[in-house]
Amino acid sequence: MHREALRFLWSAALTLKLLSAWKGRRRRGATAAVDISEKAGIRYLHLGSDTVQSAMRLADPDHLELAYTRTMMAFLLFKPDPSMITSVGLGGGSINKWMYRHLADARQTVLEINPQVIATARQQFHVPQEDERLHIIEADAAQWIAEHPDSADVVLIDGYDGEALVEALATVEFYEAAARTLVRDGVLVVNLWGSDRRFDDNLQRIETAFDGRVSCVPALQKGNIIVFAFRRTPGGLRWEELRERAKLLEERYDLEFIRFVEAMKR
């Protein structure tokens, strides 16, 4: 057999292997077992492990119980009145419920690949019925994002399974597609685990896709780092102005916006 033919066969075999691995990872994400636990009046969602994916205080279902979810809302410092929001990863719907309650003019599109997660969020975590303000789609988020440019003011990504960040949601190509999904002044918000051995690589990929227009805010809950990336540099904002915005937002929503601003300065 000619050397070129051998090279072709080796390349084809490698491609099939990579595709098989990719499909396997996506399949695990799509079929991961969904478990529920409760303790001290809080209901938790897990995906095939003890890792907490979402939490809901039974006495106040719309409250953002986990600190990292509250930190993700710091995008309101830059987009106080979003009209189009895309979320990757539903979990128990904590963020989506909060935005549905507090951001009445926003239309939400939620992308979730696991149908069990969608069913559990609706049945066990008080996610509202879909209407013109909330649309939940069972979809491969990487593919959907690539096919919907200029469609969102804000894109929120919380794409972990029970073990790690889903690899298809952590490539330069995905973050570049997410940048194109944003409108001109849009903001990308990504939840990363600081303890993830690939944290630096993932952050660098976001920085590459957004030409360095990135800010990181550690959540009060140890371990989560929230990354904010901007399609273009926010114009005309000084730290004093951000602090004033933070005060107003904190009074309005009772979230830690002043601390978010201080953390961005570090």
Side-chain angles (χ1 to χ4, degrees):
M1 185 177 292
H2 291 297
R3 184 178 301 173
E4 289 299 321
L6 284 170
R7 185 180 295 116
F8 171 79
L9 289 173
W10 180 87
S11 177
L14 178 60
T15 299
L16 288 172
K17 183 177 180 181
L18 289 172
L19 283 172
S20 177
W22 180 84
K23 289 178 180 178
R25 287 193 296 271
R26 298 302 291 157
R27 193 177 298 116
R28 285 196 297 273
T31 60
V34 178
D35 298 310
I36 304 295
S37 65
E38 289 186 15
K39 183 178 180 180
I42 300 175
R43 181 172 294 165
Y44 299 98
L45 183 144
H46 313 269
L47 290 177
S49 74
D50 292 333
T51 302
V52 172
Q53 298 289 332
S54 191
M56 179 184 73
R57 186 170 294 276
L58 297 176
D60 189 2
D62 292 343
H63 174 65
L64 291 174
E65 188 66 29
L66 299 179
Y68 89 86
T69 61
R70 300 196 299 274
T71 308
M72 291 181 79
M73 295 301 97
F75 76 81
L76 290 166
L77 289 161
F78 307 97
K79 299 293 292 185
D81 298 301
S83 60
M84 302 174 293
I85 301 174
T86 297
S87 300
V88 175
L90 174 62
S94 299
I95 288 174
N96 307 104
K97 289 186 296 181
W98 189 91
M99 294 191 297
Y100 189 86
R101 176 176 177 178
H102 293 284
L103 305 178
D105 294 328
R107 298 170 64 92
Q108 297 187 59
T109 299
V110 186
L111 309 173
E112 173 57 58
I113 197 170
N114 190 330
Q116 296 178 67
V117 169
I118 296 174
T120 302
R122 288 170 171 159
Q123 295 166 8
Q124 301 291 332
F125 287 86
H126 298 207
V127 170
Q129 292 292 323
E130 292 184 61
D131 57 18
E132 69 278 0
R133 293 176 49 216
L134 179 64
H135 190 197
I136 300 172
I137 303 174
E138 181 186 330
D140 181 327
Q143 180 178 340
W144 193 98
I145 289 286
E147 295 172 350
H148 292 79
D150 299 308
S151 62
D153 302 300
V154 180
V155 174
L156 300 152
I157 300 175
D158 188 11
Y160 283 84
D161 57 24
E163 300 175 357
L165 184 63
V166 175
E167 291 189 32
L169 306 178
T171 66
V172 171
E173 292 76 17
F174 173 72
Y175 293 127
E176 289 174 340
R180 292 190 294 270
T181 296
L182 293 168
V183 297
R184 180 176 173 82
D185 296 314
V187 183
L188 177 75
V189 186
V190 186
N191 174 39
L192 295 181
W193 289 348
S195 59
D196 190 333
R197 60 183 176 80
R198 297 170 298 176
F199 173 84
D200 290 338
D201 292 335
N202 292 333
L203 179 58
Q204 187 175 48
R205 291 168 188 152
I206 299 171
E207 291 174 335
T208 297
F210 284 82
D211 295 327
R213 297 183 296 272
V214 169
S215 180
C216 296
V217 179
L220 286 175
Q221 173 187 340
K222 187 177 180 181
N224 295 80
I225 309 292
I226 308 305
V227 182
F228 298 88
F230 305 90
R231 184 159 183 181
R232 70 169 187 163
T233 303
L237 279 179
R238 299 180 180 180
W239 288 113
E240 284 300 323
E241 292 175 284
L242 273 181
R243 276 193 288 268
E244 288 302 314
R245 283 193 183 187
K247 290 178 184 177
L248 295 173
L249 289 169
E250 193 155 322
E251 290 173 2
R252 182 175 182 181
Y253 297 121
D254 194 27
L255 300 180
E256 305 97 321
F257 286 96
I258 295 173
R259 194 202 69 83
F260 301 155
V261 171
E262 293 305 316
M264 286 179 182
K265 292 177 63 177
R266 296 171 191 166

